[in-house]
Amino acid sequence: ADSAFTSLNIPESVTNIGVRAFDNAAITKVTLPSSLVELSTCAFIDSALTEVTIPGTLKTIDVKCFQGCENLTKVTIKDGVEEICEKAFWNTGIKEIKIPSSVKTIGLKILPEDAEWDVEVGSYAYQFALENNCKIKATDAVLKDKTTRLLADRSIESAPSDKWQKNTFTSNDVRRKWDFSSSLKGGGTYTITF
C-alpha cells in the first residue's frame, strides 16, 4: 500500500504488524514500539525505509520483513531479539549490522552478501557467520579468536621445508599452511610461484 507520509511513529498500544502492512510504502523512518511482539512476513518489504530500530520485545524478525528496502542502511537490533528469519534484510543497503548475543536462530540470506557482521565472539551469530563465510567485523576479540582457531587446527599440515630446499616440491604437496621458519635465511626477497 503506497502512503503519502515518510515518517511513522507506531503507538505503544500496537503489538502486531501484519503481513505486507507497509509493502512498497514511501516511509523512510519508522519507530517500532517496545510493545511490539509480532512483525509478520514481508511487513515492510520493498519500502523506502532508511533506518529502523527493532525492540528487544520482538522475539522474531519474520521472513522477508525488510527485503528489498534498498535505501535501508541503518538497523539497530536490540538485545532480546532471538530469531532473524530467512531474507529478513536481503536486498537492502545495509553495509554493517550489530547482531546481539540474544539471537539464537538465523535463517539463510538474512543480509546482503557484502554486509559486515558485528557479533560477539562465542555467540550463536558469531558461529553462524563463521560457518557461512560471512564478513565479520574485525575487532580485537574476533582477530584473537580467529588466530587461536587457525593455530589450533591440527588438520592443517605444513608443507615440508626440506622439499623446498631440495627443489622437489610437487603439486601433491599442496597444503593450506606453510612453515618457512627453518628454511628462509637472511633479509632478501623471496618469491613463491604457484
Side-chain angles (χ1 to χ4, degrees):
D2 288 326
S3 59
F5 52 92
T6 59
S7 183
L8 179 62
N9 188 4
I10 299 174
E12 286 295 324
S13 58
V14 174
T15 59
N16 180 332
I17 297 176
V19 175
R20 295 187 177 270
F22 298 99
D23 179 354
N24 203 31
I27 300 166
T28 58
K29 185 177 181 185
V30 64
T31 303
L32 298 175
S34 59
S35 58
L36 191 65
V37 293
E38 185 177 348
L39 187 59
S40 298
T41 302
C42 303
F44 289 92
I45 193 167
D46 297 324
S47 73
L49 280 177
T50 59
E51 64 180 280
V52 65
T53 297
I54 312 290
T57 54
L58 181 69
K59 300 304 177 200
T60 301
I61 302 172
D62 214 334
V63 176
K64 300 180 182 179
C65 264
F66 299 95
Q67 179 179 318
C69 298
E70 295 174 355
N71 299 319
L72 183 59
T73 58
K74 184 177 180 185
V75 175
T76 304
I77 301 174
K78 298 286 188 173
D79 193 45
V81 173
E82 297 174 357
E83 179 178 14
I84 304 173
C85 295
E86 183 176 339
K87 295 186 177 181
F89 298 100
W90 190 249
N91 276 348
T92 62
I94 297 171
K95 297 295 180 204
E96 180 182 329
I97 190 168
K98 183 169 181 58
I99 299 178
S101 57
S102 60
V103 174
K104 304 295 184 209
T105 305
I106 298 175
L108 296 176
K109 296 183 179 183
I110 65 163
L111 293 168
E113 291 178 1
D114 63 340
E116 188 173 65
W117 294 50
D118 184 353
V119 289
E120 186 178 320
V121 172
S123 69
Y124 175 82
Y126 180 71
Q127 276 307 125
F128 182 90
L130 282 175
E131 291 169 6
N132 290 279
N133 296 317
C134 300
K135 187 176 169 185
I136 300 174
K137 184 174 183 177
T139 63
D140 288 343
V142 168
L143 294 175
K144 181 179 178 183
D145 181 69
K146 284 187 170 185
T147 302
T148 301
R149 287 172 183 270
L150 181 63
L151 294 175
D153 188 349
R154 299 294 178 208
S155 67
I156 301 173
E157 297 178 39
S158 295
S161 61
D162 63 319
K163 287 197 171 192
W164 285 97
Q165 293 168 342
K166 296 175 186 169
N167 202 23
T168 58
F169 180 79
T170 68
S171 62
N172 294 332
D173 293 315
V174 172
R175 302 286 188 266
R176 294 187 337 186
K177 180 178 167 186
W178 306 96
D179 182 4
F180 297 109
S181 59
S182 64
S183 60
L184 299 180
K185 308 278 189 250
T189 301
Y190 298 97
T191 301
I192 299 173
T193 306
F194 294 94

